[in-house]
Amino acid sequence: MPSLEDELFPSTPGKFKIDRNHTMNRQFHRCFASTSTMFLWALFLVALTASYLSFQSFVDSGSRYFTASWGGIQWEKQIRNSAQIRRSNGKSVLVTGAAGFVGTHVSLALKKRGDGVVGIDNFNNYYDPSLKKARKSLLNNHGIFIVEGDINDARLIARLFDIVAFTHVMHLAAQAGVRYAMENPHSYVHSNIAGLVTLLEACKSANPQPSVVWASSSSVYGLNEKVPFSESDRTDQPASLYAATKKAGEEITHTYNHIYGLSITGLRFFTVYGPWGRPDMAYFSFTRNILQGKPITVYRGKNRVDLARDFTYIDDIVKGCVGSLDTSGKSTGSGGKKRGPAPYRIFNLGNTSPVTVPTLVSILERHLKVKAKRNFVDMPGNGDVPFTHANISLAQRELGYKPTTDLATGLKKFVKWYLSYYGYNHGKAVN
């Protein structure tokens, strides 16, 4: 069996004599020199890579610095001015989703009565951002500053709490819509779960801790068939991912209340409608299509039963939101540590008078003075439920909540706004 030496140095008998010691030394030095060279090259490449990464990090940091939409002396001044309280015993409120439908109306109501209001919104393109920009202009005209940013940006949220000692947070930012979850499910987790946790982390670490009121949804009742829906009913059968994220939000907020002493109120909204509403909602898209002479799709449930919704006018929802802020009680934590029990509440905010979708269409026809082209279709399995109906007795008792606007009156106000906003004159768009 050949030795290791024989394997490395093959024999050539009869040609020349090998000085094996000399050869071994020479190969050793050559190998050592080669290894040293390789080591130096490797060291050089590591240094080059580290330099590149450091430079790239510097470029990225610089890019973020120069492209950031927030920060600076003027920016902080605008926030402080917007947060200024102008009534005795007033509140300083951070409103998330402030350029959204409900957020705009709540912000205006708070500002009108003298509370300090600072808004934040990411102006995403789930629906036409120009409508959100128009709402932003409306808020700016009333002295309300809107920060353009995402609630998942922990640094931004922390900075806002550094600038203003908010007494309350009205958390209305969310990825809305039931059907869109089938197209973009991750957006719901990003906004409705991760965003909520980021915000709660900032709230529990703030000193003093703010009281939190946030928008859950009537969708949490899911496949529940007991009517009207009550806060004590089971909510463990969501019919959509949207509903599941809102239910998760209720469990998450309960955790932060229990561990950190945050005062938290969850509001289950029932089909909110009205001026400055969301274009993806049925009443809004029906109005657009009716005016344009296009057919509208009216869904029906099993056995061709008409779908029904507990339509709730925006002004009534705002009353419930403001009432929740006024009765929220105080958080009890300090420095992220709970000092005692804090309020945890959930309320239904609805109109408690469900109306079928065909009836909704008939009311729109009357206000628009245009006949709709109805196309009846069986409800697909996309997360919608056949009916909603709110039991509001708890909100009436605890918040003094009392809806006053019926669907016919509310839709009349919406149509008036829609025709004005989109420039319609006698049923035709004005160019």
Side-chain angles (χ1 to χ4, degrees):
M1 181 175 181
S3 67
L4 178 59
E5 184 179 357
D6 291 333
E7 290 288 337
L8 291 174
F9 303 101
S11 174
T12 54
K15 290 193 178 179
F16 57 88
K17 183 179 180 181
I18 300 175
D19 184 346
R20 299 201 173 189
N21 290 332
H22 174 74
T23 303
M24 280 286 289
N25 289 337
R26 184 173 60 190
Q27 290 294 337
F28 175 77
H29 288 299
R30 184 181 299 168
C31 181
F32 178 79
S34 176
T35 303
S36 299
T37 302
M38 290 177 63
F39 175 76
L40 289 174
W41 273 108
L43 193 61
F44 173 74
L45 289 173
V46 169
L48 186 63
T49 302
S51 298
Y52 171 77
L53 292 176
S54 297
F55 175 75
Q56 189 64 41
S57 176
F58 171 78
V59 170
D60 291 343
S61 299
S63 176
R64 286 193 296 269
Y65 176 80
F66 289 113
T67 60
S69 59
W70 59 273
I73 297 175
Q74 182 60 28
W75 180 80
E76 293 183 9
K77 182 178 179 181
Q78 289 175 300
I79 289 173
R80 290 191 177 93
N81 288 341
S82 188
Q84 189 172 350
I85 299 171
R86 302 182 185 279
R87 70 181 179 99
S88 59
N89 299 317
K91 298 171 174 57
S92 181
V93 187
L94 174 64
V95 180
T96 71
F101 173 31
V102 179
T104 295
H105 285 273
V106 170
S107 296
L108 289 171
L110 293 173
K111 195 70 173 181
K112 183 178 180 179
R113 71 176 194 172
D115 291 326
V117 180
V118 175
I120 180 172
D121 203 292
N122 68 359
F123 294 90
N124 67 22
N125 60 356
Y126 168 62
Y127 61 81
D128 185 6
S130 68
L131 180 57
K132 300 177 185 180
K133 294 292 185 181
R135 296 189 191 121
K136 178 185 177 182
S137 296
L138 176 66
L139 295 173
N140 287 342
N141 290 339
H142 287 80
I144 301 171
F145 181 66
I146 306 297
V147 176
E148 294 195 34
D150 196 295
I151 56 171
N152 279 285
D153 188 340
R155 286 179 59 247
L156 170 58
I157 300 299
R159 187 71 191 116
L160 292 177
F161 276 94
D162 286 341
I163 298 170
V164 178
F166 294 107
T167 61
H168 294 75
V169 171
M170 174 61 70
H171 177 44
L172 300 170
Q175 176 58 63
V178 169
R179 299 167 195 167
Y180 182 63
M182 299 182 73
E183 299 177 32
N184 189 5
H186 293 95
S187 66
Y188 289 79
V189 177
H190 176 80
S191 295
N192 302 357
I193 296 179
L196 173 62
V197 170
T198 301
L199 182 66
L200 291 175
E201 280 292 301
C203 291
K204 62 102 168 174
S205 300
N207 194 10
Q209 290 179 336
S211 299
V212 179
V213 178
W214 74 287
S216 182
S217 171
S218 61
S219 294
V220 300
Y221 291 109
L223 302 178
N224 178 38
E225 295 182 351
K226 173 183 169 295
V227 290
F229 300 157
S230 299
E231 291 87 347
S232 59
D233 290 346
R234 64 183 297 182
T235 53
D236 59 350
Q237 295 178 300
S240 66
L241 179 61
Y242 169 69
T245 61
K246 286 299 185 178
K247 175 58 179 176
E250 292 186 352
E251 304 301 327
I252 291 168
T253 53
H254 184 274
T255 302
Y256 276 79
N257 166 264
H258 173 68
I259 296 176
Y260 301 111
L262 283 174
S263 167
I264 294 181
T265 302
L267 303 177
R268 295 173 177 171
F269 295 159
F270 282 73
T271 317
V272 189
Y273 73 99
W276 295 99
R278 280 177 23 218
D280 64 311
M281 298 290 285
Y283 73 94
F284 202 114
S285 62
F286 285 172
T287 299
R288 179 177 60 247
N289 288 347
I290 290 172
L291 288 172
Q292 294 176 357
K294 297 178 180 179
I296 62 173
T297 299
V298 180
Y299 291 117
R300 280 178 168 168
K302 292 181 180 179
N303 302 317
R304 306 185 73 182
V305 174
D306 292 330
L307 304 187
R309 292 289 182 269
D310 199 344
F311 296 101
T312 313
Y313 189 63
I314 183 60
D315 287 359
D316 292 326
I317 289 293
V318 170
K319 292 175 186 175
C321 290
V322 173
S324 297
L325 287 171
D326 289 343
T327 60
S328 61
K330 292 186 177 182
S331 294
T332 62
S334 177
K337 294 183 179 180
K338 181 179 179 180
R339 305 296 181 186
Y344 181 83
R345 311 178 299 171
I346 291 179
F347 297 108
N348 288 338
L349 293 186
N351 193 56
T352 200
S353 300
V355 176
T356 66
V357 175
T359 300
L360 164 75
V361 176
S362 297
I363 295 172
L364 285 175
E365 288 176 325
R366 187 164 70 248
H367 290 318
L368 295 169
K369 298 180 174 58
V370 181
K371 195 71 175 176
K373 299 175 182 178
R374 307 186 191 199
N375 181 23
F376 290 94
V377 177
D378 289 338
M379 183 176 68
N382 57 10
D384 271 329
V385 293
F387 60 86
T388 59
H389 184 184
N391 178 345
I392 59 172
S393 58
L394 183 62
Q396 287 176 321
R397 184 169 64 252
E398 300 293 329
L399 307 179
Y401 175 70
K402 185 179 180 180
T404 59
T405 309
D406 60 39
L407 185 59
T409 302
L411 285 178
K412 183 177 181 179
K413 294 179 180 179
F414 165 73
V415 167
K416 181 180 179 181
W417 168 83
Y418 186 97
L419 297 177
S420 174
Y421 180 80
Y422 288 100
Y424 278 85
N425 184 16
H426 303 295
K428 295 183 178 180
V430 178
N431 295 326

